[in-house]
Amino acid sequence: MNKLVIEGIKDFNLEHIFQCGQCFRWTQNKDESFTGVAGGKVITLSIHGTTLTIENSSLDDFDSFWANYLDLETDYGKIKDNLVQSDERIAPAIATGYGIRILNQEIWETIASFIISANNNIPRISASIEKIAQRFGDFIATYNGQDYYAFPKPEKIANLSIDDLTACGLGYRARYLINTAKKFIELGNEYFDHLLSDEVSYKEAFDELIKLEGVGPKVANCILLFSLKKRAAFPIDTWMKKVMALIYEFDEEDIKGMAKFADEHFGEYAGIAQQYLFYYVRNNAN
DNA sequence: AGCCAGGCCCAAC
DNA sequence: GTTGGGCATGGC
């Protein structure tokens, strides 16, 4: 089995990365490594010190996909310094989730995952996505005794029935996902590639995404942050309301105030600040 | 039993 | 443009 070893990886912690709510298809193994599916591949990651090990990947796959997926080119040390200088009250959250990185995930799976996420909880979201993949996705491989499946393409989802998806626990979101799959096909991959480019601003991309059924302001911000590289996006869910009230003494319903604060203090890195805060409130501050 | 979870849709102002 | 009720599902 292929095993790649990458040296000199800083600001990188697997639990922080995979348990901060940005992704739903990575699971922790007994030895602290994580196995997950993306890009039609399944790999296992482990890190000791600054040495990252990738099992079941070729060097080509690393260069063409995983390096970007794991956001390895970004200097998070610099970003963390920048955030603390902007507002020192975020320092405890950064100290807690110091190894977070924002994954650069595939656009269709991210749209689908966060449509499913609405008014839902992380264990149920993960379970629903896994059922959809196992029942309707393409088989990838049997790996360490387990079968892995890709998340189905929009063409596949568009042809499912409402019942197919409610059977996966989607509830009323089933209709949104099917309708948005049809819309995604109609718009085409080029449309979303364009939103990813630097030519399109955060605000412009936001206005496009919220046209999709099942995609409101919060879900749009997650898609912008986790797939379209718009790091200014600042998703505000029930957890963020809690932590913004706790640390910054906002009224829990003052979403506009929170968004304005994030823009003014964290600016182009607001989304990264958001992940530290989200991880903090879910794992530490209760 | 009722509340909560990475909220959105739609109708009524 | 803003506000509020309704909403599938499962864990606690």
Side-chain angles (χ1 to χ4, degrees), chain A residues 191-208 224 228-230:
Chain A
Y191 171 84
F192 294 97
D193 289 343
H194 181 58
L195 296 185
L196 174 62
S197 79
D198 290 334
E199 300 168 19
V200 180
S201 71
Y202 157 71
K203 175 59 177 160
E204 289 169 334
F206 179 93
D207 288 340
E208 291 302 307
L224 290 163
L228 296 180
K229 286 197 173 183
K230 309 299 186 199

Side-chain angles (χ1 to χ4, degrees), chain A residues 54-157:
Chain A
I54 307 181
E55 287 180 33
N56 204 35
S57 169
S58 67
L59 186 56
D60 279 351
D61 284 345
F62 175 77
D63 289 338
S64 64
F65 185 80
W66 296 112
N68 177 63
Y69 178 86
L70 297 168
D71 208 24
L72 295 181
E73 319 81 26
T74 301
D75 185 349
Y76 279 76
K78 197 165 89 179
I79 293 170
K80 288 188 282 188
D81 288 346
N82 186 306
L83 289 173
V84 173
Q85 282 179 14
S86 300
D87 185 284
E88 63 185 15
R89 287 172 288 181
I90 200 173
I94 292 178
T96 300
Y98 60 87
I100 285 174
R101 274 167 190 266
I102 310 288
L103 301 172
N104 295 303
Q105 302 180 68
E106 298 150 281
I107 182 63
W108 165 244
E109 181 169 337
T110 306
I111 291 172
S113 296
F114 283 92
I115 285 174
I116 295 168
S117 81
N119 198 27
N120 207 337
N121 60 62
I122 290 176
R124 283 197 71 239
I125 299 163
S126 302
S128 287
I129 291 171
E130 202 55 43
K131 281 182 189 171
I132 293 172
Q134 286 181 9
R135 294 181 190 181
F136 308 114
D138 291 337
F139 176 71
I140 296 174
T142 300
Y143 172 66
N144 290 341
Q146 194 170 338
D147 291 341
Y148 288 89
Y149 296 84
F151 188 80
K153 298 188 183 318
E155 289 78 4
K156 181 69 179 182
I157 300 282

Side-chain angles (χ1 to χ4, degrees), chain A residues 266-284:
Chain A
F266 303 131
E268 61 178 322
Y269 300 131
I272 300 175
Q274 193 271 359
Q275 284 304 99
Y276 294 122
L277 293 166
F278 182 85
Y279 186 85
Y280 179 68
V281 70
R282 280 179 51 85
N283 291 279
N284 208 307

Side-chain angles (χ1 to χ4, degrees), chain A residues 5 59 82 167 185 199 213 221 231 244 254 262 268 272:
Chain A
V5 177
L59 186 56
N82 186 306
I185 296 165
E199 300 168 19
E213 193 170 344
N221 277 317
R231 305 295 198 234
M244 292 300 282
D254 186 15
E268 61 178 322
I272 300 175

Side-chain angles (χ1 to χ4, degrees), chain A residues 151-171:
Chain A
F151 188 80
K153 298 188 183 318
E155 289 78 4
K156 181 69 179 182
I157 300 282
N159 286 311
L160 297 178
S161 68
I162 298 280
D163 286 348
D164 287 333
L165 289 176
T166 52
C168 297
L170 265 64

